[in-house]
Amino acid sequence: MKEKTRICLFWFILIQPFLDLYWLYNGKLANILPFTLPTIIRILGLLAIAGMFFSQKQNWQKLGKDKWLIAYLILLVIYSAVHLWHVKNFNSVNPNDYSYSTISEIFYLIRMALPLATIYFTKEIEFTKDEFKTVIAGVSGLFSFTIVLSNLFVISLRSYEHGFISANIFEWFVNPNIGYSHMASKGFFNFTNMVAAVLFMLLPLMIYFMFDKFTWKITTLTAVHALAMIELGTKVAAIGLIGGILLGIIAYLIHYFVFKNTKKNNKALIAAILIEAASLAILPFGPAIQRYNYEKYLAQQSDHDLTEETKELNAGLKKYPKGEKREEFLRDFIKENYDEYALNKKFVFKRYPYQYDPEFWLGIMRENGEMRMQNRHLEQAMLEKVRATNNNHLDKYLGISYTRENNIFNLERDFASQIFSLGWIGMLLFVGPYVAILLYGAWKWLRYKKVRTYLVTSLLISIVFILAASFSSGNVMDFLTASLILAFVEGNLLVQIKKSDFKA
């Protein structure tokens, strides 16, 4: 039965890229059931794995003896009940309460628990190094080849905005006026930031596989992986690619020259350097640099001469210093001039509608252009205003609910996002374990020589990468494709540490 459980978990992780296909979250397929089909599949899959795992008596007995784990599970249940009670009543300027739903919130809490269960099952089942390599290389290949091939045939979805790309990678070098949104490719996947974070996480592991046992197959896959990161066109993917390969090479050299626990592999070293050089050569023509230049231009434009608008605004506020007339004037002014202030239309009209709180948007319009251009700044400002309107000090500890946050805007900065949705307590309980396992692994690596293997080092770097990406760009911890793959990596880190401890 243990072998069957291992096979099921093996395939469960391997199919995660298929469960992030765009059409499963948008259109008819997304509306077949009250909740998205991928989440239903994941819940059923993990229930099946749990059923097989706990059908073995010794696993029940082992769980029962783990007092720390039992205490943690009890805390999760208690927190979840208190959280649901707390967020049920809420004061807001929005008459529909940001479409809060208790059922949706329960479903979210279940979703957040799935990767935590995956860490436990992965640790207990103990995959071999070859099985781990097969899963990671498989996930990398499914993401990377989909992005690269769909870009080549110009059938990829855009990383930014909607629709399909207009040019493939070969056209980047001959037509500098394509525009980054027509170039950046995410294959057929749903969340660009999530895919970028996963590829960033897997990069040091692909570099490790190449140095551990050089083959042209794994080298080609690593090169395609790098190309996919360039074609995605995000800052995380671009910076992560260059820094990731460099750090992977440094890690190898340290283990070869300092720790002397890995073998010489000149072919892999040359291949890694060539991939790095090729990436540096292609990136200036790619969408990430194009986007950076465009946003720099927009930031300059947003600080253009607003003398006339400021004069009109000040005159109106002087004429209507308070009351309903002031609000009417502000609504009209914001509606007519939001574009002049380079405000995100989606934020102003849909996420935190100006009609309900024009004073908030007046405050934003008075900020400098660079601040108005930063979506994460606006996202956080909207959420802070919503929390302030509710005026309940417990919101900081128990959250305002994921449902409300998501319907306003899912803050593109993990950890901060979960503090808004779950509160400090919920963030520590549901997201904290990922950081705790990283710190535990780093402590073991520093303290015990036997734990200081090249694989453990690569796993630690991999986890640091995705946690850094999640904080930088968000859309990782709340999205199961990324969090389940991260859980699998962390579970295998614990396996490798345990094996090293036995050797010690």
Side-chain angles (χ1 to χ4, degrees):
M1 185 57 75
K2 184 177 180 179
E3 186 60 32
K4 288 182 179 179
T5 310
R6 182 187 287 107
I7 291 169
C8 282
L9 185 54
F10 176 96
W11 285 104
F12 178 74
I13 300 300
L14 203 53
I15 66 167
Q16 291 309 309
F18 294 110
L19 297 179
D20 192 58
L21 292 175
Y22 176 84
W23 296 281
L24 294 175
Y25 297 87
N26 300 273
K28 292 181 179 179
L29 280 175
N31 299 315
I32 292 175
L33 297 168
F35 305 104
T36 58
L37 195 58
T39 304
I40 299 293
I41 292 170
R42 284 163 173 146
I43 290 173
L44 293 176
L46 269 175
L47 282 175
I49 290 167
M52 286 187 286
F53 181 82
F54 288 116
S55 67
Q56 301 167 72
K57 188 178 179 181
Q58 66 269 26
N59 291 334
W60 271 115
Q61 292 172 337
K62 188 175 182 181
L63 176 64
K65 292 176 182 177
D66 194 335
K67 294 179 181 178
W68 286 106
L69 182 57
I70 295 296
Y72 170 70
L73 292 174
I74 291 171
L75 279 176
L76 272 185
V77 173
I78 293 172
Y79 163 80
S80 298
V82 175
H83 168 78
L84 292 169
W85 167 80
H86 169 73
V87 299
K88 190 173 181 180
N89 298 308
F90 200 81
N91 298 314
S92 67
V93 296
N94 193 314
N96 72 354
D97 193 21
Y98 309 106
S99 303
Y100 174 75
S101 164
T102 299
I103 292 175
S104 294
E105 194 67 14
I106 292 171
F107 209 64
Y108 170 70
L109 295 172
I110 293 171
R111 276 173 42 203
M112 291 297 283
L114 295 182
L116 301 175
T118 302
I119 294 173
Y120 178 75
F121 292 135
T122 304
K123 169 183 166 291
E124 293 299 318
I125 290 169
E126 296 188 9
F127 285 84
T128 65
K129 194 167 85 169
D130 284 340
E131 289 169 336
F132 175 68
K133 178 181 178 179
T134 301
V135 173
I136 296 301
V139 171
S140 166
L142 288 170
F143 276 121
S144 303
F145 274 101
T146 301
I147 292 168
V148 170
L149 291 176
S150 62
N151 173 277
L152 183 64
F153 293 104
V154 199
I155 56 173
S156 171
L157 294 169
R158 297 184 190 184
S159 295
Y160 304 99
E161 302 176 7
H162 298 290
F164 296 88
I165 59 171
S166 304
N168 67 18
I169 189 170
F170 294 111
E171 295 178 70
W172 297 359
F173 304 97
V174 294
N175 185 0
N177 300 314
I178 299 169
Y180 77 88
S181 68
H182 294 270
M183 302 163 63
S185 311
K186 65 176 180 179
F188 307 123
F189 304 110
N190 194 32
F191 298 108
T192 305
N193 285 355
M194 185 281 299
V195 176
V198 169
L199 291 181
F200 187 26
M201 171 178 65
L202 299 184
L203 181 63
L205 297 175
M206 297 303 296
I207 298 291
Y208 163 78
F209 296 143
M210 196 165 66
F211 277 109
D212 183 57
K213 186 178 180 182
F214 182 84
T215 65
W216 289 111
K217 182 179 178 181
I218 200 70
T219 304
T220 302
L221 184 53
T222 305
V224 173
H225 185 108
L227 187 57
M229 291 180 76
I230 295 172
E231 292 179 348
L232 262 176
T234 70
K235 190 188 298 182
V236 164
I239 296 173
L241 173 61
I242 302 304
I245 295 174
L246 181 61
L247 198 55
I249 292 172
I250 292 171
Y252 163 73
L253 293 174
I254 289 172
H255 277 275
Y256 180 70
F257 288 108
V258 180
F259 300 143
K260 302 184 186 300
N261 58 1
T262 191
K263 57 183 181 287
K264 187 176 182 180
N265 196 332
N266 287 335
K267 287 183 179 179
L269 184 59
I270 293 169
I273 293 170
L274 288 175
I275 293 171
E276 179 84 330
S279 300
L280 286 168
I282 297 171
L283 269 173
F285 300 92
I289 301 299
Q290 296 276 359
R291 185 188 180 205
Y292 171 76
N293 292 333
Y294 179 69
E295 288 182 343
K296 195 174 175 183
Y297 166 76
L298 276 185
Q300 293 169 347
Q301 289 296 105
S302 67
D303 267 337
H304 67 282
D305 186 6
L306 292 167
T307 304
E308 291 300 317
E309 289 82 3
T310 303
K311 196 179 293 183
E312 180 187 348
L313 177 61
N314 290 338
L317 293 175
K318 187 177 180 181
K319 185 176 180 181
Y320 307 113
K322 58 183 179 179
E324 184 59 35
K325 289 286 186 181
R326 174 187 171 97
E327 292 205 351
E328 284 181 16
F329 163 74
L330 280 176
R331 289 188 191 102
D332 291 337
F333 182 84
I334 294 166
K335 184 178 180 181
E336 292 172 11
N337 295 283
Y338 76 92
D339 201 32
E340 293 295 326
Y341 287 84
L343 293 176
N344 188 319
K345 184 177 181 180
K346 181 168 59 178
F347 291 169
V348 178
F349 286 83
K350 186 177 179 182
R351 296 303 186 174
Y352 192 72
Y354 72 95
Q355 299 98 319
Y356 302 134
D357 193 356
E359 292 288 346
F360 168 80
W361 289 110
L362 172 63
I364 296 296
M365 291 163 79
R366 284 174 165 163
E367 294 180 346
N368 63 55
E370 186 180 350
M371 295 302 289
R372 297 195 303 270
M373 282 290 297
Q374 292 181 17
N375 280 352
R376 287 178 183 85
H377 166 66
L378 293 183
E379 292 160 10
Q380 186 154 342
M382 289 187 291
L383 291 168
E384 284 175 350
K385 186 61 192 295
V386 168
R387 192 165 66 182
T389 301
N390 188 45
N391 194 25
N392 187 332
H393 72 280
L394 288 176
D395 287 345
K396 290 185 178 180
Y397 306 102
L398 297 171
I400 64 172
S401 85
Y402 172 78
T403 311
R404 288 191 185 92
E405 184 200 0
N406 193 51
N407 287 327
I408 298 165
F409 203 87
N410 197 359
L411 178 60
E412 294 173 284
R413 179 152 286 154
D414 282 331
F415 300 102
S417 174
Q418 285 80 32
I419 289 171
F420 278 105
S421 61
L422 297 170
W424 273 99
I425 298 173
M427 185 277 287
L428 290 172
L429 285 172
F430 282 101
V431 182
Y434 301 107
V435 179
I437 290 171
L438 171 65
L439 294 175
Y440 170 76
W443 173 72
K444 283 281 191 177
W445 188 94
L446 289 168
R447 186 170 182 181
Y448 300 106
K449 184 179 178 181
K450 291 287 185 180
V451 177
R452 223 169 289 151
T453 67
Y454 184 24
L455 176 54
V456 170
T457 300
S458 300
L459 286 164
L460 289 170
I461 294 171
S462 171
I463 296 165
V464 168
F465 278 3
I466 194 169
L467 293 181
S470 68
F471 180 77
S472 172
S473 64
N475 296 332
V476 176
M477 295 302 176
D478 285 340
F479 296 89
L480 286 173
T481 303
S483 59
L484 286 169
I485 297 169
L486 169 60
F488 183 72
V489 170
E490 290 208 332
N492 277 282
L493 171 65
L494 295 174
V495 169
Q496 292 303 316
I497 290 172
K498 183 180 177 181
K499 287 180 178 178
S500 299
D501 279 349
F502 283 143
K503 291 176 184 177

